[in-house]
Amino acid sequence: MNVTVLKPAPSPAPKPAAQVLALPVVAKRPQWIAGLGRVLGESVAPPVVVLGVLLLIWQIAFSGAGSGLPAPTDVWEQSRELITSPFFVYGTQDIGLGWRVLTSLERVAYGFGLAAVVGVLVGAILGQSALMMRGFDPIFQVLRTVPPLAWLPISLAAFMDSGPSAIFVIFITAIWPIIINTAAGVRAIPQDYRNVAAVLRLNQIEFFFKIMVPSAAPYIFSGLRIGVGLSWLAIVAAEMLTGGVGIGFFIWDAWNSSRLTDIIVALVYIGLTGFVLDRLVGWIGRVVSRGTTE
Amino acid sequence: MDQSYLKIDRVFKSYSKGPKTTEVLADIRLTIDKGEFVSIIGHSGCGKSTLLNLIAGLTVVTTGAIKLEGREVNAPGPDRAVVFQNHSLLPWLSVYDNVKLAVSKVFGSKKTKAERHDWIMQNLDLVQMTHASDKRPGEISGGMRQRVGIARALAMEPKILLLDEPFGALDALTRAHLQDAVMDIHARLGNTMIMITHDVDEAVLLADRIVMMTNGPAATIGDVLPVAIPRPRDRIALASHPDYVRAREAVLRFLYERHRFVEAAE
């Protein structure tokens, strides 16, 4: 049935075909290949099929003459180099999207790294003190709803330079969920652990590293995971305005030179990178907070 | 005359919540000798755990004083190690590291690394838990966790070991094993121990004296029963021992005739 439907569209056809082949192999091969086949069948095949169908719909909808947006085949024809070679360098402003993503990631690393350190420390202090929490929480709740770009003008005025401004915007966007989650995690430390710390007379620093961080790790990492997502949202928007060679500025530049297909390729890069960041922080969180719950 | 090891002197404890003040403990007076094993028994909610927390320093007295070797107790410290009701091991640390946390803190400057390692293993050996030293608390049974909790407390080399209903959540067989382990440790090390319990047999089996508390609010010590059964005690031989039967009856009479627990006596 797949095959008959896919006949009119030549380009997405290879993907479903490869997936169909993987299944019949299963029965004859040893155990691990059988396992691999099952994973392919259960986890890989459904998204591949859905992707194929979506590409097909997109192709049909925008392939007519005079359509406003490019179809998948147009993207492939006009922006093939961006897709196939992410790491070319033709000049300081003409580099592959892989390099651009890395440049943006570097900014995110600074901004998000700073937000993580400051956020966890501030969150820890707030979580420990009910009074501080009552004082600061309403302010944070208001500030955290401010969209990233609204910070940019103030940031530009304060730093007089686009580089630090972009980093500040990421910092200020990512920090709120980190603070709020860390504070919640610290407040949720069981009294038992506090009693143990009290009997042992752990000082503040020992308490922070030996009890607080491990105990609140699941909360801290869910804050970090939200934070890294927000950072990635903010960087693209910030770079559109501050310029440079990041992926965000690339989109703005492509828009100004009417290269719509390049923008579509960039969107895919951004989406995949954001996905990887999210999974990465989630994975680190699972490894670090392994064993914090019984 | 103030030579008693632990002296609880006219202690009152009340909690205020807004305008409402609840008196939990009233006029507690008790002295405990070095090496003595004291059980505190009473109905649930009578303030037994509050009393233990006061001795531990985890809560502070409203009036009165608790003195250990003549010095007032008003903050927690490793000289009064606590075995908590729900073991309170840190789940992200292995059994060894849980004990190590206590040992490094208490003996960090007094013992070398090798000495500390030996001390950790010695205490784990005391509760027969060396085989599981690399396991995390989530991977061992409830009885084993409580053993490790005891090892951690003992490793602090406390002046007094405080046990807060440590075996309450365990099944009867496991509980019996741990009671034997505690008796054995008490015989070998001669520690001063205070154990909260609501199990009459446990109290009689383990204690030199049983402190019986009246019902709250404003609970106080109703009676103190010395248990003069010679050690080592054997639970099977004891079951028909006249002193044991008499002591058991006295505690039961106190709990169920003189101070019957009145539900919801708000």
Side-chain angles (χ1 to χ4, degrees):
Chain A
M1 186 191 163
N2 265 351
V3 180
T4 51
V5 173
L6 287 170
K7 257 176 190 167
S11 65
K15 284 174 191 165
Q19 157 262 323
V20 171
L21 273 179
L23 286 172
V25 173
V26 170
K28 297 170 193 166
R29 296 290 168 89
Q31 200 79 46
W32 69 271
I33 293 185
L36 188 71
R38 202 165 48 244
V39 168
L40 284 176
E42 286 171 6
S43 311
V44 180
V48 169
V49 170
V50 170
L51 184 68
V53 171
L54 288 178
L55 285 174
L56 187 68
I57 294 170
W58 178 9
Q59 180 70 38
I60 293 166
F62 292 103
S63 58
S67 68
L69 290 174
T73 45
D74 301 331
V75 175
W76 178 250
E77 278 160 22
Q78 293 168 34
S79 305
R80 189 180 307 173
E81 193 175 16
L82 289 176
I83 301 170
T84 53
S85 55
F87 291 103
F88 66 80
V89 179
Y90 293 151
T92 49
Q93 286 298 316
D94 191 9
I95 57 178
L97 286 183
W99 290 119
R100 292 182 188 274
V101 165
L102 286 178
T103 314
S104 297
L105 278 176
E106 191 188 344
R107 290 207 179 109
V108 167
Y110 286 127
F112 176 71
L114 208 59
V117 172
V118 176
V120 168
L121 288 177
V122 172
I125 294 166
L126 289 188
Q128 281 289 69
S129 155
L131 188 68
M132 295 267 272
M133 192 70 199
R134 275 202 293 277
F136 280 96
D137 193 55
I139 299 170
F140 289 168
Q141 295 295 347
V142 170
L143 286 179
R144 93 188 159 85
T145 63
V146 174
L149 277 189
W151 291 101
L152 195 65
I154 291 192
S155 176
L156 280 170
F159 292 102
M160 313 277 215
D161 187 11
S162 65
S165 299
I167 289 171
F168 175 77
V169 167
I170 290 160
F171 169 81
I172 206 78
T173 308
I175 198 168
W176 309 116
I178 301 174
I179 291 179
I180 291 165
N181 273 281
T182 305
V186 169
R187 264 178 302 164
I189 296 174
Q191 187 60 38
D192 298 331
Y193 302 166
R194 294 184 184 276
N195 285 345
V196 170
V199 168
L200 288 173
R201 290 200 184 130
L202 297 184
N203 61 38
Q204 293 285 316
I205 295 164
E206 289 168 327
F207 182 73
F208 179 80
F209 284 110
K210 293 193 168 152
I211 309 279
M212 200 188 275
V213 170
S215 176
Y219 290 82
I220 294 174
F221 273 93
S222 69
L224 290 175
R225 197 164 171 182
I226 299 168
V228 83
L230 290 177
S231 311
W232 194 236
L233 292 183
I235 183 71
V236 174
E239 280 179 350
M240 283 189 177
L241 298 182
T242 58
V245 288
I247 189 83
F249 179 69
F250 174 81
I251 291 180
W252 189 242
D253 193 37
W255 165 244
N256 285 330
S257 14
S258 304
R259 286 179 280 122
L260 282 185
T261 56
D262 286 5
I263 296 179
I264 289 167
V265 176
L267 290 186
V268 173
Y269 270 86
I270 291 170
L272 290 176
T273 311
F275 175 78
V276 169
L277 280 181
D278 180 69
R279 287 302 153 100
L280 185 69
V281 175
W283 177 75
I284 295 172
R286 264 203 308 287
V287 171
V288 171
S289 57
R290 155 180 53 100
T292 49
T293 46
E294 275 167 30
Chain B
M1 182 200 132
D2 198 9
Q3 283 152 346
S4 43
Y5 193 60
L6 180 80
K7 187 176 174 74
I8 302 171
D9 194 9
R10 281 164 288 174
V11 162
F12 288 75
K13 176 69 191 175
S14 53
Y15 290 103
S16 320
K17 196 175 183 187
K20 207 174 125 189
T21 303
T22 318
E23 194 164 32
V24 183
L25 295 173
D27 200 24
I28 305 279
R29 302 169 194 221
L30 183 67
T31 54
I32 292 171
D33 294 331
K34 191 170 185 181
E36 207 178 0
F37 196 120
V38 173
S39 284
I40 299 175
I41 197 164
H43 289 290
S44 50
C46 76
K48 308 183 291 273
S49 289
T50 308
L51 179 57
L52 195 87
N53 283 343
L54 288 174
I55 301 170
L58 291 167
T59 42
V60 287
V61 297
T62 309
T63 60
I66 297 174
K67 287 179 184 165
L68 178 61
E69 290 186 313
R71 288 173 62 182
E72 187 167 356
V73 162
N74 47 21
D79 56 340
R80 283 154 286 124
V82 187
V83 178
F84 296 95
Q85 193 165 2
N86 50 357
H87 69 79
S88 293
L89 298 176
L90 304 178
W92 55 88
L93 295 179
S94 69
V95 161
Y96 181 89
D97 287 334
N98 263 290
V99 181
K100 187 181 164 197
L101 180 71
V103 171
S104 319
K105 185 60 193 170
V106 179
F107 298 107
S109 55
K110 285 176 235 153
K111 289 182 195 274
T112 66
K113 205 175 170 196
E115 282 171 344
R116 290 201 299 267
H117 171 78
D118 290 345
W119 180 239
I120 294 165
M121 293 314 282
Q122 195 180 320
N123 280 286
L124 284 175
D125 187 42
L126 211 53
V127 294
Q128 292 141 38
M129 284 302 297
T130 42
H131 64 280
S133 64
D134 293 332
K135 294 228 167 76
R136 284 166 190 267
E139 298 165 340
I140 57 180
S141 70
M144 289 175 164
R145 285 179 213 160
Q146 212 48 272
R147 282 175 189 270
V148 178
I150 293 170
R152 178 175 64 182
L154 286 172
M156 300 175 205
E157 220 164 41
K159 289 176 178 154
I160 295 190
L161 187 65
L162 304 169
L163 303 115
D164 185 2
E165 267 181 58
F167 313 141
L170 304 177
D171 64 273
L173 285 172
T174 312
R175 192 185 305 181
H177 280 298
L178 279 163
Q179 286 164 352
D180 290 341
V182 166
M183 271 199 289
D184 180 50
I185 289 163
H186 184 239
R188 278 211 259 170
L189 307 178
N191 312 59
T192 313
M193 296 192 186
I194 301 176
M195 179 189 238
I196 304 277
T197 183
H198 51 224
D199 179 339
V200 177
D201 291 296
E202 183 170 274
V204 178
L205 178 69
L206 295 176
D208 297 315
R209 277 193 297 158
I210 302 174
V211 172
M212 293 175 275
M213 296 192 59
T214 64
N215 286 329
T220 190
I221 294 174
D223 211 347
V224 179
L225 179 80
V227 183
I229 304 169
R231 294 175 190 274
R233 296 173 182 170
D234 175 70
R235 70 174 65 245
I236 297 164
L238 227 51
S240 54
H241 194 288
D243 287 348
Y244 180 85
V245 175
R246 217 172 296 130
R248 198 169 175 278
E249 197 189 325
V251 177
L252 286 171
R253 211 174 279 285
F254 178 90
L255 289 176
Y256 297 102
E257 284 184 4
R258 288 165 57 191
H259 295 280
R260 180 181 291 276
F261 180 57
V262 187
E263 195 105 33
E266 176 69 343

